[in-house]
Amino acid sequence: MSHKVSVIFVCLGNICRSPTAHAVFRDLVEKEGLMADILIDSAGTASWHQGKPADRRAIQTAQNRGIDMLDLRSRPVDMGDLITFDYVLAMDYANYDDLRQMALPEHHDKIKLFLDYAEEVSETEVPDPYYGGPQGFDHVFDLVTAASEGLLAEIRERL
Ligand code: 4NP
């Protein structure tokens, strides 16, 4: 059976934020027993890290919170993703603008800022943690956890 809803998380490198979102959302979906209904993926607007695992700091932060993301590999987002996925979720405004430029106008509506789904979070972007310290990765984890819960609540209404 094919999935009922598909979601792709997109950041710049697909080694820090979007794989964290992918793994956190996947964990939530697994716990709710909805893996057969929801297809989950992630990608980057840049291809610099193609084929590489997530950044070890992102992996460590997730592991500290009981989430495994060792299986994920970076890949660039492509036109096909923008056609096939139901939700294309950008981590920041730069990702959002890049995706909008890449997509056909009829697909613009499914491109959204991921933090639009985070309740009680005033920030609108998941900040890039790549050049900062470990606390940046903790902050990313907290933001994507809040947004994942809001996203799943919305998707549940479509299933
Ligand atoms: P991400 O973080 O977009 O959250 O995966 C980054 C990863 C790598 C680079 C920048 C941001 N980089 O410049 O290589």
Side-chain angles (χ1 to χ4, degrees), residues 89-90 112-126 139-154:
L89 301 173
K112 298 206 167 66
L113 281 170
F114 185 33
L115 290 191
D116 286 353
Y117 294 96
E119 279 176 31
E120 293 170 29
V121 169
S122 56
E123 285 132 290
T124 54
E125 301 184 282
V126 183
H139 188 48
V140 166
F141 194 96
D142 292 337
L143 291 173
V144 306
T145 298
S148 290
E149 286 164 2
L151 175 64
L152 187 56
E154 175 176 306

Side-chain angles (χ1 to χ4, degrees), residues 4 19 29 57 71 83 88 99 129:
K4 293 179 186 154
V29 168
R57 297 165 294 173
D71 59 308
I83 294 166
V88 179
L99 290 166

Side-chain angles (χ1 to χ4, degrees), residues 11-17 48-49 128-131:
C11 63
L12 177 61
N14 190 215
I15 56 168
C16 299
R17 292 166 292 173
W48 309 317
H49 302 281
D128 183 350
Y130 190 65
Y131 292 107

Side-chain angles (χ1 to χ4, degrees), residues 79-99:
M79 280 288 291
D81 296 321
L82 301 175
I83 294 166
T84 58
F85 281 89
D86 300 313
Y87 289 84
V88 179
L89 301 173
M91 297 297 133
D92 64 27
Y93 289 112
N95 311 145
Y96 179 85
D97 290 343
D98 287 343
L99 290 166

